Amino acid sequence: MLFPSLKLHQDHVSDRWQWQSDLADGYTVRGAYLFLTTRDAVTLDVASGLIWHRQVPLKVSIFAWRLLRDRLPTKANLVTRGILSEAAHHCVSGCGGVESAHHLFLSCSTFGALWSLVSSWIGSSLVTAQTLSDHFVQFTGSAGGLRAQRSFMQLIWLAVVWVVVESDE
């Protein structure tokens, strides 16, 4: 489970809400803080399982697979491999940041800002994650538990990252 939840619990007693993260003590601010600060990052396998979608062109899924593994020819990766000089690592958007996959797709003031617009457009909460894998999994799950809703969110996330890469060419 990615996030703790409050769940309706029925044991032949009145219905009640129960904090799933700590069944013994229930919800506490300390418990919520510990959950948020000690949680393991989403494994790459979980995120990778979401990129292969039958309604997504194969080239988009392959791109997303490479993106989640930091295997795109970003300027930071090209500098690391000695293909570009250290001075040539600035973001293509002109924002002044180092062009890495994380920067381009999450923190860039130009391209990363798309997520707040997309979230507003579809009426979902803004996802703020530290890694691309976390962002993908959290964004996909932000619509709720129904399979059709998760599938829709997968398509939206993949379309947004594809638009960013296509706008760069």
Side-chain angles (χ1 to χ4, degrees), residues 2-77:
L2 290 176
F3 299 103
S5 61
L6 294 174
K7 182 178 178 182
L8 194 57
H9 186 74
Q10 300 174 352
D11 280 334
H12 305 290
V13 294
S14 299
D15 292 340
R16 68 181 194 270
W17 289 102
Q18 187 173 28
W19 178 249
Q20 293 293 297
S21 182
D22 186 351
L23 296 174
D25 294 330
Y27 176 81
T28 63
V29 173
R30 180 177 171 15
Y33 175 79
L34 287 173
F35 174 81
L36 292 172
T37 58
T38 61
R39 145 181 123 73
D40 293 332
V42 172
T43 65
L44 196 53
D45 293 339
V46 172
S48 294
L50 296 172
I51 62 173
W52 309 105
H53 193 289
R54 62 186 171 90
Q55 295 175 323
V56 173
L58 183 59
K59 67 181 181 178
V60 176
S61 291
I62 290 170
F63 165 77
W65 183 82
R66 290 178 65 206
L67 171 64
L68 294 175
R69 284 166 176 70
D70 195 21
R71 298 295 186 257
L72 295 179
T74 60
K75 290 181 181 178
N77 283 345

Side-chain angles (χ1 to χ4, degrees), residues 135-147:
H135 191 273
F136 185 33
V137 171
Q138 290 176 21
F139 186 86
T140 299
S142 68
L146 296 178
R147 181 182 210 149

Side-chain angles (χ1 to χ4, degrees), residues 11 14 32 70 79 82 131 137 141 154 157 159 161 163:
D11 280 334
S14 299
D70 195 21
V79 166
T131 68
V137 171
Q154 282 174 263
W157 194 92
V161 296
V163 165

